[in-house]
């Protein structure tokens, strides 16, 4: 099972699609203006990634190597169409907000990257797990980005939640007369917040590295 | 002018340069206080305190020698420029936020003094005008210098109807763009309660103060002549030329140079040694670019003034300008492409 644990760890942190590989930035930056939008798009992406990895992995011995990319895209496009129609049918308000970014999951390079780099070479179980974990890695980053931008930008949490769960309301955290900070809601703000998150990740990694080194030194000194 | 060998030159320390820049701002500030009241001094002190605190905190966080870098004065220059470019009656938190953005984000996150590709003061100004256009368009009217009202505007409830006005630039553009008024530049500028001799009542003398301070900086060799000269020639040139072609639609060179942030931009903002071009020819191109973009934003854009945006846009071009205008090394012939 340690292989599965490695896949999970690499998807959530070590090879995180956004914080490490900087893939899929277009939907990330465009949709992360509120947490609800961000997580909804993220969940749609997880679905597509898991099923795409499953499908490609099970068909991998039948797909001719030379035309594999068009075949992958066809499979992904079919799955995205399913997700697109489902959103339109069951979450119509949210569908209107997310708009073009649901069909654009087809071109999201995270999906194609995982299919090409992992699912085309690995067994079905591991590939599906990889799709889910890479997707979860995408969701937590885009969700956190949406949370921060929404909080700083307009002082609320979960605005638009009524589009997903009718009856719930957004929480106004900061006082009503909070003037907002529009820059964070605009694309430059998205880049800045993402940059800070990547810096935070690097900082945590560097600190963990230092600790591991210190531990190693202690051990070698103790044994000598 | 020293003329004896061996021509030793005292390398200017950052501290002495920054101190001279602060001194050169004083005539403009004096005019500002004279026409628009004490509010600007409140903003300058607020900005200075915030800048020093933020600078010290960031230096400590980056494990740099705090005292050494804190006393170089660069944070103070940034703070003063922000306080002078914001309207003097903006709420206190807006000034504090602007300074924090300049020092923390635009300066230290990019690597500190000497590493920042963008002018910190202008990054802060641009962020503020995008985020809070409602506050950034409320300028004090000339002569409305009641201190209590101004303090109230900065720290308390804002009841501003009696004391605010749009800037002369804004008023002119609004009048010209409102169809049906048949306004011409001449008829708009004839209103002497808003417009003085050249640029706008009060503002033209503030600009004159910046001009005097700026010329002193050139004389002191703190800044080179290329940037202000190219800025003024390019700005005056395009404004004068368009004014000649259609004087009803385009205001003249005098109006443009002595209104808004033109003079502050020419001598104090575009000349920022870190983010500006560094080669002699590059400085000419850089400053002329700022002037031309600013003129376009003023005449056709939606923002009151464009110094911040045009400076940032030209900051992006600086590596390219520097690379293509590098002077030949002494003794080599200039390369002809």
């Amino acid at each position: 099972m340690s292989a599965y644990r490695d896949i999970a760890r690499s998807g959530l942190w070590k090879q995180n699609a956004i914080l490490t590989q900087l893939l899929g930035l277009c939907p990330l930056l465009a949709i992360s203006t509120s947490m609800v939008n961000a997580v909804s798009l993220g969940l749609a992406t997880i679905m597509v990634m898991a099923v795409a990895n499953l499908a490609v992995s099970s068909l991998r011995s039948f797909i001719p190597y030379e035309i594999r990319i068009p075949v992958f895209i066809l499979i992904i496009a079919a799955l995205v169409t399913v997700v697109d129609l489902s959103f339109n049918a069951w979450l119509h308000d949210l569908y209107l907000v997310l708009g073009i970014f649901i069909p654009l999951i087809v071109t999201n390079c995270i999906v194609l990257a995982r299919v090409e780099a992992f699912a085309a070479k690995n067994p079905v179980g591991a590939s599906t797990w990889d799709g889910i974990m890479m997707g979860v890695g995408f969701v937590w980053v885009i969700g956190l980005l949406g949370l921060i931008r929404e909080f700083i930008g307009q002082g609320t949490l979960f605005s638009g939640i009524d589009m997903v769960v009718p009856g719930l309301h957004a929480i106004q955290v900061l006082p009503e007369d909070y003037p907002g900070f529009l820059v964070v809601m605009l694309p430059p703000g998205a880049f800045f917040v993402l940059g800070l998150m990547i810096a935070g990740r690097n900082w945590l990694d560097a600190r963990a590295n230092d600790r591991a080194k210190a531990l190693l030194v202690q051990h070698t000194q103790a044994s000598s | 002018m020293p003329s004896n060998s061996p021509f030793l030159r005292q390398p200017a320390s950052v501290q002495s340069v920054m101190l001279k820049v602060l001194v050169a701002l004083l005539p403009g500030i004096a005019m500002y206080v004279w026409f628009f009241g004490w509010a600007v001094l409140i903003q300058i002190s607020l900005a200075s305190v915030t800048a020093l605190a933020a600078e010290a905190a960031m230096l400590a966080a980056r494990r740099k020698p705090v005292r050494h870098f804190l006393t170089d004065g660069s944070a103070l220059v940034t703070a003063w420029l922000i306080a002078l470019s914001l309207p003097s009656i903006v709420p206190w938190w807006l000034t504090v936020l602007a300074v924090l953005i300049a020092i923390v984000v635009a300066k230290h996150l990019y690597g500190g003094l000497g590493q920042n590709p963008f002018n910190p003061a202008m990054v802060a100004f641009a962020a503020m005008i995008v985020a809070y256009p409602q506050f950034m368009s409320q300028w004090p009217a000339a002569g409305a210098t009641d201190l209590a009202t101004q303090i109230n505007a900065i720290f308390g409830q804002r009841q501003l109807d009696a004391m605010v006005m749009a800037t002369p630039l804004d008023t002119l553009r609004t009048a010209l763009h409102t169809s049906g008024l048949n306004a011409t530049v001449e008829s708009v500028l004839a209103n002497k309660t808003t417009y003085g001799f050249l640029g706008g009542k009060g503002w033209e003398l503030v600009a004159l103060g910046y001009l005097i301070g700026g010329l002193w900086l050139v004389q002191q060799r703190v800044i080179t002549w290329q940037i202000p000269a190219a800025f003024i020639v390019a700005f005056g040139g395009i404004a004068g030329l368009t004014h000649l072609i259609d004087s009803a639609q385009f205001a003249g060179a005098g109006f443009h140079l002595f209104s808004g942030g033109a003079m502050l931009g020419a001598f104090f903002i575009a000349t920022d040694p870190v983010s500006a071009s560094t080669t002699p020819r590059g400085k000419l191109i850089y400053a002329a670019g700022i002037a031309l973009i600013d003129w376009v934003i003023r005449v056709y854009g939606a923002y009151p003034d464009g110094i911040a945006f045009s400076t940032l846009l030209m900051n992006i071009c600086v590596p390219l300008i520097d690379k293509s205008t590098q002077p030949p090394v002494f003794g080599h012939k200039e390369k002809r492409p």
Side-chain angles (χ1 to χ4, degrees):
Chain A
M1 287 319 274
S2 80
Y4 279 76
R5 198 186 302 148
D6 282 349
I7 291 174
R9 187 173 298 159
S10 92
L12 294 179
W13 187 263
K14 233 176 133 190
Q15 290 294 324
N16 187 291
I18 294 162
L19 292 183
T20 309
Q21 306 188 41
L22 299 183
L23 291 176
L25 292 188
C26 168
L28 178 86
L29 299 173
I31 284 301
S32 64
T33 50
S34 83
M35 190 177 168
V36 171
N37 291 355
V39 171
S40 312
L41 188 80
L43 292 178
T45 313
I46 292 188
M47 280 186 252
V48 173
M49 286 181 74
V51 185
N53 271 13
L54 175 85
V56 168
S57 178
S58 37
L59 295 174
R60 67 185 191 278
S61 46
F62 304 105
I63 300 174
Y65 183 76
E66 290 76 11
I67 57 159
R68 66 193 190 287
I69 301 286
V71 176
F72 294 162
I73 291 287
L74 275 178
I75 293 173
I76 298 168
L79 293 168
V80 169
T81 310
V82 173
V83 170
D84 187 52
L85 291 175
S86 325
F87 266 74
N88 198 353
W90 291 308
L91 295 167
H92 191 70
D93 289 336
L94 194 64
Y95 177 78
L96 294 178
V97 175
L98 296 182
I100 187 68
F101 288 97
I102 300 176
L104 277 182
I105 295 175
V106 179
T107 60
N108 190 330
C109 33
I110 303 174
V111 184
L112 187 62
R114 289 331 286 174
V115 166
E116 159 77 5
F118 198 93
K121 299 163 190 160
N122 287 289
V124 178
S127 298
T128 314
W129 183 241
D130 177 79
I132 295 172
M133 278 302 136
M134 277 289 162
V136 175
F138 178 71
V139 169
W140 82 256
V141 175
I142 195 176
L144 185 60
L145 189 60
L147 182 86
I148 297 173
R149 286 180 72 192
E150 184 187 341
F151 182 75
I152 301 177
Q154 53 189 44
T156 60
L157 287 181
F158 312 114
S159 83
I161 188 84
D162 51 319
M163 290 186 296
V164 184
V165 188
L168 291 184
H169 293 289
I171 308 168
Q172 184 79 32
V173 183
L174 298 178
E176 284 287 337
D177 58 353
Y178 177 65
F181 191 42
L182 188 63
V183 176
V184 181
M185 301 296 269
L186 296 174
F191 276 110
F192 268 111
V193 177
L194 180 65
L196 290 176
M197 285 170 66
I198 294 173
R201 186 215 116 95
N202 289 347
W203 180 70
L204 285 175
D205 270 359
R207 208 178 55 161
N209 252 348
D210 287 350
R211 280 199 186 148
K213 257 185 215 153
L215 216 60
L216 198 69
V217 171
Q218 261 179 16
H219 275 288
T220 43
Q221 277 171 350
S223 60
S224 63
Chain B
M1 277 291 169
S3 56
N4 298 328
S5 57
F7 302 115
L8 282 177
R9 278 185 56 181
Q10 183 86 25
S13 72
V14 177
Q15 193 178 20
S16 77
V17 165
M18 294 296 170
L19 202 66
K20 280 179 180 167
V21 173
L22 291 180
V23 170
L25 282 169
L26 290 178
I29 295 175
M31 288 295 177
Y32 207 139
V33 172
W34 178 259
F35 282 101
F36 301 98
W38 297 97
V40 68
L41 290 188
I42 302 176
Q43 300 285 7
I44 288 178
S45 2
L46 200 58
S48 306
V49 172
T50 317
L52 291 178
E55 177 95 352
M58 285 310 283
L59 287 169
R62 296 177 59 216
R63 304 210 179 90
K64 302 270 176 191
V66 173
R67 178 192 283 259
H68 175 76
F69 285 107
L70 194 60
T71 49
D72 70 10
S74 62
L76 277 183
V77 170
T78 304
W80 286 31
L81 288 178
I82 293 173
L84 290 175
S85 19
L86 299 177
S88 62
I89 49 174
V90 292
W92 63 271
W93 53 262
L94 201 149
T95 310
V96 171
L97 183 62
V99 174
L100 287 181
I101 288 178
I103 300 288
V104 176
V105 179
K107 189 175 175 188
H108 281 290
L109 289 190
Y110 280 97
L113 185 67
Q115 304 293 327
N116 45 313
F118 299 106
N119 186 323
M122 291 303 102
V123 172
F125 185 90
M128 289 302 111
I129 203 162
V130 171
Y132 304 111
Q134 71 274 33
F135 295 119
M136 295 294 284
S137 57
Q138 293 172 331
W139 291 82
T145 54
D146 178 22
L147 182 60
T149 324
Q150 290 187 334
I151 290 181
N152 218 4
I154 298 173
F155 293 103
Q157 292 296 312
R158 296 170 66 77
Q159 285 165 349
L160 296 171
D161 298 339
M163 57 183 290
V164 296
M165 56 183 267
T167 59
L169 276 172
D170 242 356
T171 320
L172 175 67
R173 185 175 43 214
T174 313
L176 288 179
H177 285 199
T178 313
S179 53
L181 282 179
N182 289 327
T184 63
V185 168
E186 203 181 348
S187 73
V188 177
L189 294 191
N191 174 4
K192 289 293 172 204
T193 56
T194 310
Y195 298 96
F197 309 100
L198 278 172
K201 197 172 175 192
W203 294 116
E204 54 200 12
L205 289 172
V206 177
L208 187 68
Y210 294 143
L211 174 63
I212 294 169
L215 290 176
W216 179 73
L217 280 186
V218 176
Q219 190 263 330
Q220 288 288 308
R221 312 248 176 121
V222 170
I223 57 177
T224 51
W225 60 271
Q226 280 96 343
I227 288 181
F231 185 98
I232 290 171
V233 168
F235 212 147
I238 183 126
L241 202 67
T242 47
H243 186 66
L244 273 184
I245 294 169
D246 184 356
S247 64
Q249 278 300 312
F250 300 104
F255 172 78
H256 272 300
L257 283 175
F258 281 89
S259 61
M263 282 298 165
L264 191 64
F267 287 97
F268 295 95
I269 292 168
T271 52
D272 171 33
V274 178
S275 58
S277 181
T278 49
T279 63
R281 265 193 306 152
K283 284 177 180 171
L284 296 175
I285 300 173
Y286 169 78
I290 295 179
L292 296 182
I293 298 174
D294 185 32
W295 182 83
V296 171
I297 294 176
R298 279 187 179 187
V299 175
Y300 299 105
Y303 288 109
D305 201 352
I307 294 285
F309 293 113
S310 49
T311 307
L312 294 179
L313 284 172
M314 290 310 286
N315 281 163
I316 300 175
C317 307
V318 160
L320 182 67
I321 297 175
D322 277 359
K323 193 162 182 275
S324 51
T325 58
Q326 217 164 31
V329 179
F330 181 75
H332 286 244
K333 275 188 184 162
E334 183 149 5
K335 262 189 240 154
R336 293 274 168 209

